[in-house]
């Protein structure tokens, strides 16, 4: 999804198709603010590609909660 | 919390005290991977400071779900 400059919303389009968790390098959550009236979820894939995700879709929420659970399982 | 280089875990210490949502510029979730056996939650505050958050603490999960809900309320 093309990205805009910093002082506005960064997401124009959001990907709708599901992306498997293994492809994600990181996920950045930007809360709503003066620059943009809605929060935005921007993922960087391991390929280096940046995509905007829809914070309301179930699979996005599932991936985020999965990441939050990946703690201390190996320590 | 001091940060390490890219190819290892980036968080040495995690903040324990609660930080109010209004202070967050963004929150970055990095899943576990070859570089680090646990997922990491790194927040950039509006002050520019970067802090590591504990993904297992309730208030971190609450802030993340709050951000995910800030959608379409204004559109």
């Amino acid at each position: 999804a093309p990205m805009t400059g910093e002082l506005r919303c960064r997401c124009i389009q959001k990907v709708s198709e599901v992306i498997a968790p293994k492809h994600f390098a990181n996920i950045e959550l930007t809360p709503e603010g003066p620059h943009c009236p809605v929060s935005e979820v921007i993922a960087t894939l391991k390929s280096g590609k940046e995509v905007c995700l829809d914070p309301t879709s179930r699979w996005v929420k599932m991936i985020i909660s999965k990441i939050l659970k990946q703690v201390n399982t190996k320590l």
Side-chain angles (χ1 to χ4, degrees), chain A residues 53-71:
Chain A
L53 306 180
D54 179 353
T56 63
S57 45
R58 252 169 60 86
W59 70 274
V60 172
K61 289 177 185 167
M62 270 167 53
I63 283 186
I64 289 173
S65 65
K66 186 172 180 283
I67 291 172
L68 293 178
K69 287 194 184 100
Q70 289 171 341
V71 181

Side-chain angles (χ1 to χ4, degrees), chain A residues 9-26:
Chain A
C9 298
R10 292 168 56 194
C11 293
I12 295 175
Q13 273 170 324
K14 293 177 188 129
V15 297
S16 48
E17 72 279 7
V18 177
I19 301 173
K22 65 179 181 186
H23 292 302
F24 289 98
N26 71 49

